[in-house]
């Protein structure tokens, strides 16, 4: 029997502003919020998101989350009671090349959004953070581990976390910070998936290579201190991650204290293991080329997600083969979508 993360006695429905809700993770969370009966307003500049990915049952406003006046107006005119903040730049190597761009997008604009949140007296704030705020670890990473970000991306996310914590303490704003590990897969109902052109997500890149959309794929480094020499990551299905956001919102609505949680399964796979699973599932032995390590990449990052599970989160799609299969099905569907 399929387990559910939804409470037996659900709290009142919320009117949610979802920044970056036309993108990959934000878009799946929009679907989960709508499925749970919440009202959703999406604010997205469509720089990496897609207009077609926003369901007709949600309202799309095209604009910049760093525009204070716009955000205040959107909150006021739509009666926003909760904000879920996904809008960000997310590619670690790019952040090394363009640190100021990442600090602007991920830290400065979060400050602006927080200022609007306080100005308009919105009570609940949920933030899309990252395991990149941690450094290398030989064991499972718990929330108690000291932050030690190794890239401008990780540092920009940690800066935002600090601002959220301080703002929550000063203004009695309830917040939830969700630190994602590696997100993969697509909506099991086929409504959306990872659609960004030139995406760097490992599973998407491997599937695109299998389908001939890329001539080959690169694996960056095989000399890490891991069992097979390849970097190890904890992969979480995007639908399970979206459920975690709905659960986080429910907890904040019930008046629980603010919290920070890891979002992962507590199981690591090396890059080579992932590529081998993609090859096996697609039946295609595509070309793979070894390349040097990328700046900012860590050897191993695996979540301790005990705290999130203690809240009642029960993942439904925690097999890597399931994530790959859903991503593969979406990639086949994507050709029919208009970009």
């Amino acid at each position: 029997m399929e387990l559910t993360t939804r409470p037996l006695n659900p709290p009142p429905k919320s009117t949610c502003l979802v920044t970056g809700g036309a993108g990959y993770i934000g878009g799946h969370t929009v679907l989960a919020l709508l499925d749970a009966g919440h009202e959703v307003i999406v604010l997205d500049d469509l720089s990496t998101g897609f207009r077609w990915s926003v369901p007709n049952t949600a309202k799309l406003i095209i604009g910049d989350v760093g525009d204070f006046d716009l955000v205040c107006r959107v909150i006021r005119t739509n009666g926003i009671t909760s904000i879920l903040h996904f809008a960000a730049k997310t590619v670690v190597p790019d952040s090394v090349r363009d640190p100021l761009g990442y600090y602007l997008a991920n830290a400065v604009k979060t400050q602006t959004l927080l200022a609007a949140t306080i100005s308009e007296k919105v009570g609940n704030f949920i933030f899309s953070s990252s395991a990149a705020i941690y450094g290398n670890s030989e064991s499972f990473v718990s929330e108690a581990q000291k932050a030690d970000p190794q890239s401008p991306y990780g540092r920009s996310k940690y800066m935002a976390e600090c601002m959220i914590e301080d703002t929550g303490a000063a203004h009695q704003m309830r917040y939830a910070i969700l630190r994602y590990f590696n997100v993969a897969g697509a909506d099991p109902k086929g409504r959306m998936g990872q659609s960004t052109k030139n995406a760097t997500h490992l599973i998407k890149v491997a599937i695109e290579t299998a389908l001939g959309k890329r001539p080959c794929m690169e694996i960056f480094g095989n000399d890490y201190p891991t069992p097979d020499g390849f970097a190890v990551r904890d992969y979480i299905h995007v639908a399970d991650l979206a459920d975690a956001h709905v659960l986080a919102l429910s907890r904040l609505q019930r008046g629980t204290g603010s919290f920070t949680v890891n979002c992962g399964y507590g199981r690591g796979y090396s890059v080579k293991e992932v590529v081998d699973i993609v090859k096996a599932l697609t039946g295609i032995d595509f070309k793979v080329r070894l390349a040097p390590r990328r700046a900012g990449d860590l050897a191993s990052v695996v979540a301790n997600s005990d705290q999130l599970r203690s809240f009642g989160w029960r993942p439904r799609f925690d097999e890597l083969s399931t994530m790959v299969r859903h991503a593969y099905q979406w990639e086949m569907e994507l050709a029919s979508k208009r970009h």
Side-chain angles (χ1 to χ4, degrees):
M1 184 174 68
E2 183 177 286
L3 294 170
T4 178
T5 60
R6 295 183 176 85
L8 294 177
N9 298 306
K13 302 306 178 186
S14 188
T15 303
C16 303
L17 174 62
V18 181
T19 72
Y24 178 43
I25 302 173
H28 282 85
T29 303
V30 166
L31 294 176
L33 290 167
L34 292 171
D35 289 347
H38 297 288
E39 184 177 352
V40 176
I41 291 85
V42 171
L43 176 62
D44 200 301
D45 64 5
L46 300 184
S47 58
T48 57
F50 301 92
R51 186 190 299 266
W52 55 257
S53 72
V54 179
N56 292 332
T57 47
K59 179 180 179 180
L60 172 63
I61 298 171
I62 301 173
D64 188 343
V65 70
D67 184 335
F68 177 82
D69 291 337
L70 170 64
V71 175
C72 286
R73 187 165 61 251
V74 169
I75 292 172
R76 195 178 312 124
T77 58
N78 292 281
I80 300 298
T81 57
S82 302
I83 293 176
L84 294 89
H85 180 33
F86 297 89
K89 289 179 177 289
T90 62
V91 181
V92 171
D94 284 353
S95 77
V96 176
R97 291 187 290 268
D98 179 26
L100 293 180
Y102 272 67
Y103 292 132
L104 172 61
N106 298 350
V108 176
K109 291 187 179 183
T110 296
Q111 186 275 337
T112 302
L113 179 62
L114 285 168
T117 300
I118 298 307
S119 175
E120 298 300 323
K121 298 180 173 57
V122 180
N124 304 317
F125 192 96
I126 297 176
F127 179 59
S128 164
S129 193
S130 169
I133 70 116
Y134 300 117
N136 279 306
S137 176
E138 296 181 358
S139 59
F140 296 117
V141 178
S142 75
E143 295 86 354
Q145 179 167 319
K146 184 179 179 180
D148 184 25
Q150 300 294 301
S151 67
Y153 167 65
R155 283 188 280 275
S156 70
K157 283 292 189 179
Y158 185 58
M159 288 177 185
E161 285 195 12
C162 293
M163 287 190 286
I164 292 165
E165 292 172 1
D166 291 343
T167 302
H171 298 280
Q172 297 182 326
M173 179 190 75
R174 294 180 299 273
Y175 65 83
I177 295 171
L178 279 64
R179 292 172 176 166
Y180 311 160
F181 285 64
N182 283 54
V183 187
D187 176 51
K189 297 179 181 179
R191 293 173 292 182
M192 75 170 301
Q194 171 56 273
S195 308
T196 308
K197 293 180 179 179
N198 302 315
T200 59
H201 296 68
L202 174 62
I203 291 175
K204 180 175 177 65
V205 169
I207 290 172
E208 287 183 338
T209 309
L211 294 176
K213 296 181 180 181
R214 298 174 185 242
C216 72
M217 69 170 291
E218 293 182 320
I219 291 180
F220 299 96
N222 67 341
D223 57 349
Y224 287 100
T226 60
D228 65 4
F230 294 90
V232 171
R233 296 291 183 267
D234 188 341
Y235 295 87
I236 178 172
H237 195 293
V238 66
D240 284 336
L241 181 57
D243 285 345
H245 287 81
V246 176
L247 178 62
L249 176 59
S250 174
R251 287 184 63 83
L252 294 182
Q253 287 180 296
R254 290 176 182 277
T256 62
S258 300
F259 57 90
T260 298
V261 290
N262 287 336
C263 296
Y265 295 142
R267 183 189 312 151
Y269 293 92
S270 77
V271 172
K272 184 178 184 302
E273 288 175 313
V274 172
V275 170
D276 288 345
I277 288 176
V278 174
K279 287 184 175 183
L281 189 142
T282 62
I284 301 170
D285 185 17
F286 50 86
K287 184 178 179 181
V288 179
R289 183 172 62 219
L290 185 64
R293 292 189 191 188
R294 296 180 301 186
D297 278 353
L298 303 177
S300 178
V301 188
V302 180
N304 177 327
S305 58
D306 290 350
Q307 184 174 341
L308 180 58
R309 293 175 190 270
S310 76
F311 293 166
W313 180 69
R314 299 293 181 267
R316 296 174 290 154
F317 308 107
D318 55 348
E319 294 296 331
L320 183 59
S321 59
T322 302
M323 289 181 256
V324 171
R325 177 166 50 84
H326 288 165
Y328 182 51
Q329 290 168 345
W330 173 253
E331 203 64 42
M332 301 288 280
E333 170 72 16
L334 190 56
S336 66
K337 298 292 184 182
R338 294 176 61 187
H339 287 61

